[in-house]
Amino acid sequence: DVLGVDASAPLVAAAERAAERAADGDVGAPGARARFAVLDYAALVADDDAAAGPFDLVVCNFALLGDPVAPVLAAAGRRLAPGGRLVIQTVHPWTAAGDGPYVAGWRTETFAAFAVPFPAAMPWYFRPLGDWVAALADGGLRLEALHEPLHPETGRPLSLLLVATAARG
């Protein structure tokens, strides 16, 4: 069973339609179900009954773009089942820093490198690697693994994968 959460109602609706198409095609495990909810960071932090667990796996895929992030990480940790994992995939900070300074702070993504135009620029909070590790600890999580997939030609890191568990008693 899967619960997908996003703050964007149109993205949640698209996921619901995709799940319906997959179910019609008899894709996935028998009896498995996908549910979806429109929730933002504030709702996840404020209400433990929203998207309540426990979950064996919580995945944040290019989703933690705001600041502060520790309260969101703590909310994710509260939803983990014993032995559950939180996996975060984000742009690798060494790559994301570009020509800018390697210090935490707000940046703007213009999507200029994409082939199709985007309607608007997007603000996002840049975190150096050490800040990611500190945010996990501040959120009551323990870093279990860190992976840095590399570009096959340049050898530069493409993304950062952080795997954490709840640091319960």
Side-chain angles (χ1 to χ4, degrees), residues 53-163:
F55 298 105
D56 296 323
L57 179 65
V58 173
V59 177
C60 298
N61 185 39
F62 298 109
L64 300 173
L65 305 174
D67 187 59
V69 73
V72 178
L73 296 173
R78 289 191 302 271
R79 289 165 171 82
L80 290 175
R85 300 281 187 271
L86 168 66
V87 176
I88 299 168
Q89 180 175 6
T90 189
V91 176
H92 197 289
W94 295 350
T95 302
D99 293 332
Y102 193 71
V103 296
W106 285 98
R107 309 257 174 114
T108 300
E109 174 60 64
T110 62
F111 304 102
F114 288 79
V116 295
F118 277 70
M122 179 190 80
W124 64 283
Y125 194 83
F126 173 79
R127 281 180 193 78
L129 184 56
D131 286 15
W132 276 109
V133 174
L136 287 168
D138 290 347
L141 296 157
R142 180 176 37 250
L143 182 63
E144 293 287 324
L146 183 149
H147 303 282
E148 302 168 284
L150 303 177
H151 188 284
E153 294 172 14
T154 67
R156 293 183 50 85
L158 294 170
S159 64
L160 177 65
L161 294 161
L162 303 163
V163 181

